[in-house]
Amino acid sequence: MAGARRRKIALACLLGFLVLLPPVALAAGEPFYVSLFTRILITALAAASLNLILGFGGMVSFGHAAFVGIGGYVVGIAFVHASDGTLFLGLLPGTVSGFVVLPLAMIVAGLVALPIGAICLRTTGISFIMITLAFAQMLYYLMISLRRYNGQDGIAVWQRSELPWPIDLDDRMSFYYVALAVLLAFLYGTHRMVNSRFGRVLRAAKDNERRVRALGFHAYRYKLAAFVIAGAAAGLSGALLVNSTGFVGPSYLEWHRSGDLIVMVVLGGVGTLFGPVLGAGALMLLEEFIPELLNGLADGLGEHWKIFLGPILILIVLYARRGLMGLVDGSLGGSLLRRLRPEPPPGKPPRRRR
Amino acid sequence: MTAPLLQAVGLTKRFGGLVANDAIDLGVSEGQVHAVIGPNGAGKTTLLAQLNGELKPDRGTIHFDGRDITALPTATRARLGLARSFQITSVFASFSAVDNVALAVQGQERHSFRFWRDASGDPALAEPAERALERVGLADRSHVPASALAHGQKRQLELAMALAMRPKLLLLDEPMAGMGVEESAAMVTLLAGLKAEVPILLVEHDMDAVFALADQITVLLHGRVIASGPPAEIRRNAEVREAYLGEDAAAGDG
Ligand SMILES: Nc1ncnc2c1ncn2[C@@H]1O[C@H](COP(=O)(O)OP(=O)(O)O)[C@@H](O)[C@H]1O
Ligand SMILES: [Mg+2]
């Protein structure tokens, strides 16, 4: 298929761009871009983890940022105790060892996702959206209430997680490649997963859960497993994000962060492997540069540029389900045309009922 | 006679004020095709949904293969060998025909928490799936996306999926709905051939098919069983003729 070929070429270009970006940016004297793209890659990991449940499992979680925040707080809290020498809950010492905090962030986020998913997945559709949002808000207020960890103000994490040589998160370039490697590893894992037995059940349940049950699958368990895996990956994204920004606070768990993740997935292409990466890149680059551009045109316009994002997203949902990935593999034009032309009637099956 | 493979007693299901199934008793034995007929809205689909666990009965019990399955969830019943095909075709549109059936094969494995290996290359799934497709006459369509199949082929695919579950009992909800004359005839032949292997509870509107296949017929009207017995008896039953069979039965008799 031409689409598949175009996609391969486009992805090769994207990979080449991502691999070459740091040396080029540094040579050009623009280290800022390395940091910006590090954050983009880390956020893309969160978006990709949401895409696992939203895109492949049909679970529209509106609370995914909560798991990013949990992962971030694991790093932050471990740092606080490491720096003042106190014990967490009077039991555990703090640490800045990446070998400890990064896996721990995943485990804790996954463990938090387990009961939340277990409850939320009793519902579907709008109820699921609302209840995931409700849980995320609960966690948000919980973090605000943590006085020991500065409540609303959050934690300044001025020491990055330590990893063995040659990896050094204090080095821009090194950190960038860690983020890239983690993202690619997760995407490859997702690719394996969606084509495995597990992934087939998940994708089929998105189509028709009732039918999946009638085939002998306890659909709930599979969806819950996906929810927990996605939560754990989001936790890792949060842990990396804290390292990149040097800060974690309740703002990580704000509902509009969850909304942004959904926007990234939809913009990039729901249920496509690389869509969330494109979506995260597009949204974050727009966020970075559009306000400045627009403010140049008219004062104050820059603050409100997201007004334009809404209609674009609606158009994507209506006409281009594969989002930016649709642009890449050329299916966008096709699906638009099909939309505009009425479908030929599918040839009524002959009826033979009395 | 030994106890029937499936025995429902007093199955009752209400939707608000509507009694969709009213104290239905029904049994299916090994080697049998038991047809359930009745006009639209009689409660046939509701009955199948209760039998496969999609709907919880308000009252009544279901025994299957020697155990009480009344409280078991749908998935567990499916794994015990209760395979239902749906009236509204519900194959997975984005999967190919063979992948649809492979999923049915997979449903009988111990679990599917296998995250790494590519399922499409696995002969443990593909081979039984291809065999089931061959049985229903879809072997040459196996790699076509289910959404691109003709209506009659989707009905065949539904049946292939049910067969791939290695069922002890087939619950078929109008397998011939919307099929052409030839397709229906082929389906009757196919079901007749299956009879020796697996008993069938057949909900069907096509009276020719029902009388060609059934050993036992139960007639539903307004959620209630108004008659049950061998085909010849049902044909003769005045109430049934009046309520439902009408012209068809008279013509068949003539
Ligand atoms: N989920 C439901 N909620 C409310 N009413 C229902 C539901 N399912 C079926 N019914 C009603 O129950 C009656 C029996 O329906 P059904 O079992 O589908 O009949 P049949 O399959 O014999 O045509 C109909 O009057 C139908 O409208
Ligand atoms: Mg029906």
Side-chain angles (χ1 to χ4, degrees):
Chain A
M1 269 210 303
R5 220 185 123 73
R6 277 182 63 165
R7 188 163 59 229
K8 270 196 188 131
I9 295 171
L11 289 181
C13 293
L14 176 68
L15 271 183
F17 169 77
L18 289 176
V19 169
L20 294 178
L21 181 122
V24 173
L26 290 185
E30 297 274 11
F32 161 74
Y33 282 94
V34 181
S35 307
L36 172 62
F37 272 85
T38 303
R39 262 188 295 125
I40 289 178
L41 293 173
I42 294 170
T43 309
L45 172 63
S49 71
L50 175 62
N51 185 43
L52 176 64
I53 52 174
L54 192 160
F56 296 105
M59 295 168 255
V60 185
S61 168
F62 202 164
H64 206 59
F67 305 119
V68 178
I70 297 288
Y73 263 97
V74 168
V75 173
I77 290 173
F79 163 75
V80 166
H81 292 286
S83 62
D84 66 13
T86 54
L87 297 178
F88 176 67
L89 297 178
L91 288 170
L92 297 167
T95 175
V96 292
S97 157
F99 266 149
V100 176
V101 292
L102 297 182
L104 195 62
M106 293 180 74
I107 292 169
V108 173
L111 285 179
V112 172
L114 181 64
I116 291 180
I119 294 168
C120 295
L121 287 170
R122 300 273 169 204
T123 67
T124 54
I126 299 286
S127 321
F128 181 80
I129 299 177
M130 298 315 290
I131 192 169
T132 48
L133 173 63
F135 271 111
Q137 287 299 95
M138 261 174 55
L139 291 172
Y140 170 69
Y141 288 114
L142 176 70
M143 294 310 157
I144 287 183
S145 74
L146 294 181
R147 277 223 211 107
R148 172 77 178 82
Y149 305 109
N150 304 339
Q152 184 83 65
D153 296 334
I155 307 164
V157 184
W158 41 261
Q159 201 177 352
R160 294 203 164 95
S161 303
E162 284 167 1
L163 287 163
W165 188 88
I167 304 171
D168 176 8
L169 296 188
D170 281 323
D171 176 66
R172 273 178 215 273
M173 186 113 87
S174 182
F175 194 173
Y176 175 93
Y177 285 115
V178 167
L180 181 60
V182 169
L183 175 64
L184 292 180
F186 181 75
L187 291 178
Y188 181 64
T190 304
H191 168 72
R192 299 298 306 211
M193 210 170 354
V194 297
N195 291 301
S196 71
R197 279 169 163 77
F198 176 80
R200 282 194 173 190
V201 178
L202 192 64
R203 284 184 293 138
K206 178 191 176 190
D207 242 23
N208 189 344
E209 188 171 335
R210 156 175 181 250
R211 185 65 163 116
V212 165
R213 281 197 291 268
L215 289 179
F217 300 103
H218 295 276
Y220 174 82
R221 298 176 194 170
Y222 294 90
K223 289 169 76 175
L224 182 56
F227 193 88
V228 170
I229 293 169
L236 179 57
S237 159
L240 292 173
L241 201 57
V242 172
N243 274 290
S244 136
T245 61
F247 167 78
V248 61
S251 61
Y252 270 57
L253 298 86
E254 274 172 359
W255 67 268
H256 64 80
R257 294 260 194 146
S258 296
D260 281 349
L261 291 177
I262 296 180
V263 169
M264 288 168 190
V265 172
V266 172
L267 190 64
V270 175
T272 62
L273 199 58
F274 279 88
V277 181
L278 297 181
L283 191 69
M284 290 179 69
L285 289 174
L286 286 174
E287 244 166 13
E288 195 66 42
F289 296 111
I290 284 266
E292 237 172 282
L293 283 177
L294 289 183
N295 275 336
L297 289 178
D299 218 25
L301 195 59
E303 334 266 276
H304 303 296
W305 71 277
K306 278 196 173 175
I307 293 174
F308 302 110
L309 196 60
I312 293 175
L313 287 173
I314 291 173
L315 285 175
I316 288 179
V317 169
L318 288 179
Y319 296 116
R321 307 252 29 188
R322 289 167 61 81
L324 291 172
M325 274 313 281
L327 270 181
V328 168
D329 63 20
S331 70
L332 174 65
S335 66
L336 257 178
L337 277 182
R338 243 176 290 127
R339 282 287 174 153
L340 297 177
R341 248 186 281 126
E343 294 226 354
K348 268 214 154 176
R351 301 231 118 216
R352 232 191 124 219
R353 286 202 176 180
R354 348 173 307 121
Chain B
M1 236 179 85
T2 55
L5 179 66
L6 178 84
Q7 183 70 60
V9 179
L11 274 192
T12 300
K13 185 73 200 174
R14 285 192 196 82
F15 295 118
L18 178 85
V19 187
N21 280 179
D22 190 356
I24 293 179
D25 296 332
L26 180 117
V28 186
S29 302
E30 295 286 359
Q32 209 183 30
V33 173
H34 188 146
V36 175
I37 63 174
N40 274 328
K44 306 180 296 294
T45 298
T46 303
L47 175 63
L48 288 195
Q50 293 199 78
L51 293 177
N52 100 315
E54 197 176 292
L55 290 175
K56 293 273 161 272
D58 294 324
R59 191 170 296 164
T61 58
I62 308 163
H63 281 80
F64 177 65
D65 203 15
R67 60 191 284 188
D68 186 346
I69 63 165
T70 316
L72 295 183
T74 304
T76 310
R77 295 187 202 197
R79 300 171 74 84
L80 289 175
L82 208 51
R84 175 182 176 195
S85 84
F86 287 75
Q87 176 177 6
I88 311 289
T89 303
S90 42
V91 297
F92 301 103
S94 58
F95 286 30
S96 68
V98 68
D99 284 347
N100 268 278
V101 188
L103 193 66
V105 176
Q106 198 184 313
Q108 295 300 309
E109 292 183 342
R110 215 148 55 79
H111 65 80
S112 287
F113 288 101
R114 295 168 67 176
F115 298 89
W116 200 252
R117 191 162 157 206
D118 190 352
S120 67
D122 193 336
L125 298 176
E127 277 167 14
E130 293 285 1
R131 279 201 298 278
L133 282 176
E134 208 169 300
R135 285 208 77 168
V136 302
L138 277 181
D140 57 334
R141 310 293 286 164
S142 67
H143 292 286
V144 176
S147 57
L149 292 175
H151 174 79
Q153 293 174 330
K154 285 185 187 154
R155 305 299 301 163
Q156 289 169 306
L157 180 56
E158 277 273 347
L159 182 64
M161 290 166 78
L163 288 178
M165 294 170 70
R166 287 186 276 122
K168 291 203 184 93
L169 175 66
L170 286 174
L171 306 173
L172 305 182
D173 200 350
E174 305 200 22
M176 286 152 229
M179 275 191 167
V181 180
E182 272 168 44
E183 283 173 328
S184 289
M187 185 64 92
V188 170
T189 314
L190 180 62
L191 293 181
L194 280 177
K195 195 163 145 175
E197 260 170 69
V198 52
I200 301 172
L201 183 67
L202 175 69
V203 168
E204 188 46 65
H205 265 288
D206 184 329
M207 284 307 121
D208 296 336
V210 166
F211 282 102
L213 289 167
D215 305 294
Q216 171 115 12
I217 298 178
T218 293
V219 187
L220 285 191
L221 188 65
H222 302 312
R224 207 168 297 157
V225 175
I226 59 167
S228 187
E233 196 178 297
I234 295 300
R235 229 187 259 271
R236 267 184 267 112
N237 186 308
E239 194 185 354
V240 174
R241 293 173 76 124
E242 194 182 318
Y244 180 56
L245 290 177
E247 299 277 308
D248 262 0
D253 261 354

